[in-house]
Amino acid sequence: MQLRKVTAASAAVLALALTATACGSDDKDDSASGGGKKITIGIKIDQPGIGLKTPNGKYTGFDVDVATYVAKELGYDAKNIEFKETKSADRETAISRGDVKFIVASYSINDERLQKVDFAGPYLLAHQDILVRADDSTIKSPEDLNNKKLCSVTGSTSAQNVKDKLAPKAQLQEYGGYSECLTGLENKAVDALTTDDSILAGYASQDTNKGKFKLAGFKMTNENYGIGLKKGDADLKKKINDALTKMVSDGSWQKAVDANFGPAGYKNEKAPKIGNVVK
């Protein structure tokens, strides 16, 4: 009789332990099955028009709209999305470490990055350009950047592209973020800021910056924005590509473009075909 009591008690304890373990596993599950679970997505938080965290804690921008749409197609409500800042230099590490499920952060597809991560998309074709002070008339072509201080952010390939291909005597200045580059440009610590025209347009259109800066309009490269994810995750890549295709076909993509870039007068390219990387 005593043996039966002990056995029953042990069984009850074991059942409780298994239940607790199962519940804990569900809480941490970050798979793409949805069902109220959380998903962590990498974005930029300092790029107006692309990915920006506002003072009240909200996230705005084209990449945020794309990420939210894709997550919904994967089964996640907007309230279950956790946006995580991923700076340019940290994107591959964040993916490989599993800190994020995927990254939507003005992340250009190139051969070097494809060695480390996979990309869905592309979902936007941008072009590398430069931003200069509105009263600066000395930079009329990319070659005029020779002997000029050219700013970009750590981990970005933009400034190096200019130095390697167009202005070998450009003096590269690497800052931690685009906002820092912009401050340096306004204070004349640097002469130009280079990155994608979509990003630069976002900065130039901010109320506090109107009239201070201008885009040169050089279109020096083609930048195919892709959604970065762990290498070899073919199932997730297909699901994201399907979501992007739907976003274009139902008009949500153009709506997001108009809402985020329209105020700056940015002339976007048409939606790229999924899998077609323009060189």
Side-chain angles (χ1 to χ4, degrees), residues 145 154 193 216:
L145 290 167
T154 304
L193 160 59

Side-chain angles (χ1 to χ4, degrees), residues 6 31 34 41 43 60 80 97-98 107 124 165 169 172 189 191 199 206 228 232 241 243 245 259 271:
V6 172
S31 67
I41 302 174
I43 60 168
T60 65
N80 291 324
R97 225 172 24 206
Y107 202 1
L124 183 72
K165 302 174 183 178
K169 294 182 180 180
L172 304 188
D191 301 301
I199 299 172
Q206 284 186 298
N241 278 336
T245 300

